Amino acid sequence: MNRVMATGEGADDRIADLVDDILVQTPLKAAAFIVTIYGDVVEPRGGVVWIGNLIETCAAVSISETLVRTAVSRLVAAGQLVGEREGRRSYYRLSTAAGSEFAAAARIIFGSAEEESWQLVHLTGAEVEERMQALERAGYARLDPRLAIGPARQVAGLADALTLRAHSDDPKALAAFVQAYWNLAPHAAAYRLFLDQFRPVAALAEKHPVAPATALTMRLLLIHRFRTVLLRDPRLPAAALPPDWPGLEARRLFAALYLLLSPSADDHIGRNFISASGPLRAMTEEIEKRLSLLETQA
């Protein structure tokens, strides 16, 4: 399927081929991609958008209108979206709970490196197993049924827990400890696949202008893939990672390509996306903040 270097094709045609390749390698689920649209496009512009915009945006990555409507219904049932009608048009906004989740994810995706320290957590009280699983999803390693260790970051569910900070000045001991409790190989492989998928896009976009609609499609795929890989990564402190850790290069590529695509992508949003109160703004204070954070990482 890789026809990227074919002669006589425009930049948008080549990027369309790259989109096809990415979708074959890592297929999309409609609900997850709609969540990405809200996180990247809608949430920093007020949280409300016309369903027609969702349908059109998803069509560019081969997600049908039927799948979009089904996914939106499921997101409403799950309490992530709330429907509104204005005349004959349907609009959907983020629920308050979903907005908080999106804000937390945005801090991880767009933010800089987190605190370089470790934390031991001893769970007390009830529902220990459920809370331990939440810690594991946040990147912690289970040491026993009530004790976990991981990066010292804010994690939900620590109200009934004893937390202790941990520190090591021995790189070899730290490396051995990480190897014993974390399997980083799947995360490294996911980052390498991300790099393989988006390096050609960056090389092309640096040399040729990309049409606004195409830029938005590729930026959404970029953040969708990076978000998927990053939020599954335990995101251990840098001192604990192998010297050739691909996550560092992946973050730099994400930041550089997001910045490269954003002027055209945001222009397309400002010209085409609407809420019940009118067009979505191409630029907001929150978007400017995101771009500023990425400029320090590219």
Side-chain angles (χ1 to χ4, degrees):
M1 180 173 290
N2 191 353
R3 305 184 303 276
V4 174
M5 298 310 294
T7 60
E9 291 184 328
D12 284 359
D13 293 326
R14 300 183 194 180
I15 286 184
D17 289 339
L18 292 172
V19 168
D20 288 344
D21 291 345
I22 292 168
L23 295 179
V24 168
Q25 294 166 348
T26 47
L28 295 176
K29 292 184 178 180
F33 191 67
I34 290 170
V35 166
T36 295
I37 296 171
Y38 269 87
D40 185 46
V41 174
V42 186
E43 188 276 333
R45 294 176 171 85
V48 183
V49 75
W50 175 44
I51 193 173
N53 291 135
L54 298 178
I55 292 168
E56 181 182 59
T57 305
C58 287
V61 290
S62 302
I63 297 174
S64 70
E65 178 176 346
T66 299
L67 287 176
V68 171
R69 292 187 182 278
T70 299
V72 166
S73 296
R74 289 174 178 171
L75 290 169
V76 170
Q80 291 190 281
L81 295 180
V82 178
E84 304 173 349
R85 287 196 68 85
E86 184 73 23
R88 300 179 65 180
R89 284 185 166 178
S90 296
Y91 302 85
Y92 290 87
R93 63 176 174 85
L94 289 174
S95 66
T96 301
S100 298
E101 292 176 9
F102 279 48
R107 286 193 293 271
I108 296 170
I109 295 167
F110 295 99
S112 54
E114 298 176 72
E115 185 179 356
E116 296 284 310
S117 59
W118 297 84
Q119 184 169 261
L120 279 162
V121 176
H122 181 261
L123 296 175
T124 60
E127 299 179 340
V128 170
E129 178 58 25
E130 180 180 339
R131 292 157 62 208
M132 178 61 75
Q133 290 179 15
L135 282 174
E136 289 178 317
R137 289 192 296 272
Y140 278 68
R142 183 192 301 238
L143 302 180
D144 72 23
R146 289 183 177 271
L147 185 65
I149 188 169
R153 63 173 69 105
Q154 187 175 6
V155 180
L158 296 185
D160 294 326
L162 173 65
T163 59
L164 300 169
R165 289 297 174 97
H167 179 73
S168 173
D169 289 321
D170 185 341
K172 291 185 178 179
L174 182 58
F177 176 76
V178 168
Q179 187 173 8
Y181 287 98
W182 282 272
N183 180 13
L184 295 181
H187 304 293
Y191 279 123
R192 292 190 184 100
L193 176 57
F194 172 85
L195 289 166
D196 289 343
Q197 289 176 328
F198 289 97
R199 278 191 191 117
V201 180
L204 187 59
E206 285 173 355
K207 296 179 180 179
H208 304 282
V210 180
T214 306
L216 177 60
T217 298
M218 185 51 75
R219 193 180 75 177
L220 286 168
L221 278 178
L222 173 75
I223 194 170
H224 184 81
R225 290 285 299 120
F226 187 66
R227 170 181 176 270
T228 301
V229 177
L230 181 65
L231 296 186
R232 291 174 180 170
D233 179 1
R235 306 192 313 279
L236 301 180
L241 296 170
D244 60 346
W245 181 243
L248 302 177
E249 184 181 354
R251 177 166 281 282
R252 288 193 294 270
L253 176 63
F254 167 74
L257 185 52
Y258 192 98
L259 290 169
L260 188 62
L261 295 169
S262 284
S264 290
D266 290 329
D267 177 68
H268 179 75
I269 294 165
R271 291 176 181 273
N272 295 278
F273 281 65
I274 60 172
S275 69
S277 58
L280 299 191
R281 293 167 58 191
M283 188 59 58
T284 67
E285 183 178 343
E286 176 60 26
I287 296 164
E288 289 178 345
K289 180 181 177 181
R290 290 181 177 186
L291 297 176
S292 179
L293 286 169
L294 292 179
E295 286 173 353
T296 67
Q297 303 169 49

